[in-house]
Amino acid sequence: MSAPNIETIVSLAKRRGFVFPSSEIYGGLGSAWDYGPLGVELCNNVKRAWWRWMVYERDDIEGLDSSIILNRSVWKHSGHEETFSDPLVDCRECNSRFRYDKLLDEHPPVSAALRTLMQPSDVMRDFPCPNCGKSNWTESRPFNLMFRTQLGAAAAEDDPNALAYLRPETAQGIFINFHLVQQTMRRKVPFGIAQIGKSFRNEVTPGNFIFRTREFEQMEMEYFVRPGEDETAHQEWIDNCFNWYTSLGLSRDNLRLYEQPKEELAHYAKRTVDIHYRFFPERAEEEKHWDELMGIANRTDFDLRAHSKNPLDAEGKRVNPDSTEDLSYFDEARKERYYPYVIEPAAGVNRSVLAFLMDAYSERTNDKGETRVILQLHPDLAPIKVAVLPLARNKPEIVGMAKGIKRALQPVMRAVYDDTGGIGKLYARQDETGTPFCVTVDHQSLEDEAVTVRDRDTWEQERVKVADLQQHLRQRLEVRG
Ligand code: GAP
């Protein structure tokens, strides 16, 4: 079947307890979402799968959990204070505010050359405002995306000494801890530092459900390599990341690699390749189906140099007078000192969750002609691994046996017990939430100590002895330690 659109997923997510509109009882809060009982499990499973793959299954990566609020100097020297902004334009008629670059993307006939030559108000002279339809625009101006806050109870609102930011990426927390991790863990380059955590961006145009929000979670890893070995390492990480998504079930047909053209590259990047997912299959043009799921950047030695106390600029002046450390690295084997280059795979938890939900969505018609939704999530990601269901909920022996089986399974896998409907309804509910297996306890079970195991994807059933059940399910789920 064709891929679902985001609205189908929004509706399923709310109906089944994955994602709720935030603050709904107060009318909501634009583009803020809360993860419900199954959503939090799915997010945790995505993060766990990433951490296991990135940290535990390799020998060269350490983990970190740095502060969300860092010394303001971090953002000054990383370049975020100066350059982490989107160009904004206002409609003078209705006061709506838009991203200039996104409006231009909606009007492709405006060539890149023209954009750079003309003032935004001239380029956009004939563009209708998406809100009111009139054409009366201001010039564009930069809008910094970092959320500002004040530190300390006594700080005056405009006290620059109390100004702090919520981090817009987790990466900088890694760079400023580079030496501490390297030295405490006695690491030699090449090695990496991984971090998962919340980031915040005051996006001008958030939207498309959990695709773009102002508060989101990132999974980032900074891999430090010797200059000159960066290009090979970069290509390896591009391939690794693509394969990680397919290993967890994303279809290759819905993924593509996108080489960022020079004019799109961030100020620190030598080369960046994004992994795109087909998030918007309903959009008319094929090119507009795709958007970024994660980015894999070659950040060069920009960040370690920027945060070091000593680098000199062309005139011999110190570039960073605030840092107390030189973050260069001494390579004992080669007897050389250098600033390592950094390869950065950076993924969004929430965008990954959206892609996994969209890719897992399928529909099947049963023998009564009813259409059922099946969420064919990879077992590692499924919020619930097994549901134990009694065939007769008014029979205490069957209920007791089913509850006992659930209790025996729960220390090794996420198991639930459910008797709130007929068996057809219970199966449908578990299919829709992506539970790989249902275990049904019936009258026969009381005699033969066996249960029926039903497979979500094939709807096939097999009889399994209760004594063998845990082992049977573990094998099929490939539950890892
Ligand atoms: N440290 C590099 C960095 O932050 P990025 O491409 O800006 O790079 C990495 O962000 C990933 O974070 C994106 O590929 C996306 O998955 C996720 N992301 C970025 N902004 C987001 C937002 N406003 N809402 C949800 N996810 C976002």
Side-chain angles (χ1 to χ4, degrees), residues 80 84 168-172 175 199-201 203 206 210-220 222 245 260 268 272 274-275 292-297 299 344-352:
H80 283 80
F84 195 62
E169 62 170 11
T170 61
Q172 297 302 323
F175 299 131
S199 292
F200 303 82
R201 296 180 190 177
E203 298 281 2
I210 53 175
F211 178 81
R212 179 170 285 109
T213 49
R214 296 193 170 106
E215 172 183 343
F216 55 97
E217 231 173 337
Q218 291 187 305
M219 306 183 283
E220 297 198 288
E222 310 300 324
Y245 279 112
Q260 283 192 9
Y268 51 72
T272 298
D274 292 336
I275 298 180
E292 181 185 333
L293 176 58
M294 79 176 292
I296 305 118
R299 292 182 77 125
E344 174 191 70
V349 174
N350 319 78
R351 266 187 214 180
S352 299

Side-chain angles (χ1 to χ4, degrees), residues 339-467:
Y339 290 95
Y341 268 40
V342 174
I343 307 302
E344 174 191 70
V349 174
N350 319 78
R351 266 187 214 180
S352 299
V353 162
L354 180 58
F356 285 125
L357 284 173
M358 290 183 77
D359 228 77
Y361 185 94
S362 66
E363 290 177 359
R364 170 148 0 131
T365 306
N366 66 12
D367 44 19
K368 292 187 196 135
E370 300 156 336
T371 301
R372 298 273 188 238
V373 172
I374 309 176
L375 211 48
Q376 296 185 301
L377 287 169
H378 188 284
D380 286 358
L381 303 183
I384 298 164
K385 311 301 181 200
V386 58
V388 186
L389 316 169
L391 199 64
R393 61 181 148 160
N394 50 1
K395 279 260 177 254
E397 303 91 320
I398 292 181
V399 167
M401 185 172 178
K403 285 185 174 170
I405 290 173
K406 186 260 174 184
R407 272 197 300 275
L409 290 174
Q410 69 192 14
V412 284
M413 65 190 74
R414 176 85 170 114
V416 296
Y417 167 86
D418 192 3
D419 66 3
T420 56
I423 194 71
K425 208 169 183 178
L426 297 181
Y427 281 156
R429 190 180 293 162
Q430 295 302 330
D431 285 348
E432 221 181 1
T433 52
T435 306
F437 297 107
C438 288
V439 166
T440 309
V441 180
D442 54 25
H443 294 90
Q444 184 70 20
S445 308
L446 300 174
E447 284 158 29
D448 64 3
E449 286 283 312
V451 287
T452 302
V453 176
R454 173 187 177 273
D455 184 300
R456 172 197 69 196
D457 299 334
T458 61
W459 289 355
E460 276 168 13
Q461 307 193 355
E462 68 179 297
R463 207 71 186 160
V464 177
K465 286 281 179 203
V466 175

Side-chain angles (χ1 to χ4, degrees), residues 64 108 154-155 189 194 206 209 290 297 308 339 346 351 404 440 465 473:
L64 180 78
V189 168
F209 189 38
W290 303 90
S308 288
Y339 290 95
R351 266 187 214 180
T440 309
K465 286 281 179 203
L473 292 172

